[in-house]
Amino acid sequence: SRSRTFAMIKPEALIHSGAIISRIYEENFVICQIKKVQLTRADAANFYDEHKGKPFFGELLDYLTSGPVIALELMGEDCVKKWRACLGPTNSLKAKQDAPNSIRAIYGTDGTKNACHGSDSPSSSARELEFFFGPHSPKPKAEFK
Ligand code: CMP
């Protein structure tokens, strides 16, 4: 049935955001909300709280704060699962092997720099949408002041 998920275009893939957003429409998702945000280290640590303590956590925070990200609320049929399928395996090197047409295969680099995020379950999509679009969410990045 129709549901929502959270998607994020990560810093190194921002240059490909036009192609990635075209792909999102080609896959028949609806973009309900979209915003560009520069995450602080604290924002990134809170968002990826479940990975705190893992060996790659520091590298993940460096990566996620290296430039702005684009946060999206997607809607569609069986959205959480379908967006994860479009992304392919977490590690872009594995994606290039096993799912060459996936977003991570095309736009990602390695195990950390994997182009895009997608919520892994309906409960994490609710949490992540609240994190990025709820009342206490990080403010949109102003390009021109
Ligand atoms: P994502 O699906 O957004 O969720 C956690 C992120 O941590 C993941 O994408 C990668 O960017 C990164 N990550 C996950 N596993 C590893 C790993 N083994 N080594 C380095 N980075 C990882």
Side-chain angles (χ1 to χ4, degrees):
S1 65
R2 221 155 139 90
S3 56
R4 290 163 196 258
T5 196
F6 174 71
M8 175 168 63
I9 305 175
K10 299 184 185 182
E12 100 283 16
L14 231 75
I15 189 141
H16 302 297
S17 56
I20 293 169
I21 290 167
S22 293
R23 173 77 179 261
I24 288 170
Y25 285 122
E26 282 161 20
E27 302 279 358
N28 284 319
F29 294 103
V30 172
I31 296 175
C32 299
Q33 302 192 72
I34 179 167
K35 75 177 174 187
K36 186 177 183 182
V37 174
Q38 172 65 57
L39 296 175
T40 65
R41 218 172 164 79
D43 291 333
N46 289 332
F47 181 75
Y48 279 120
D49 191 56
E50 66 181 293
H51 297 298
K52 213 166 268 175
K54 293 193 184 159
F56 59 83
F57 192 64
E59 191 187 343
L60 178 59
L61 300 191
D62 292 341
Y63 166 45
L64 253 290
T65 57
S66 64
V69 301
I70 295 178
L72 304 106
E73 179 182 15
L74 304 184
M75 187 173 70
E77 281 301 311
D78 209 6
C79 203
V80 172
K81 247 166 82 182
K82 211 188 129 190
W83 176 241
R84 294 276 291 189
C86 290
L87 292 179
T90 301
N91 187 323
S92 292
L93 296 173
K94 183 172 160 55
K96 288 171 204 286
Q97 290 293 317
D98 299 351
N101 193 39
S102 66
I103 288 171
R104 283 167 172 164
I106 298 170
Y107 303 109
T109 306
D110 56 30
T112 299
K113 294 187 166 65
N114 61 357
C116 290
H117 171 83
S119 309
D120 64 4
S121 67
S123 66
S124 49
S125 78
R127 175 193 168 272
E128 293 174 356
L129 287 169
E130 172 71 19
F131 185 95
F132 270 94
F133 294 106
H136 304 293
S137 60
K139 293 290 162 279
K141 182 173 170 63
E143 281 301 312
F144 303 102
K145 289 188 183 171

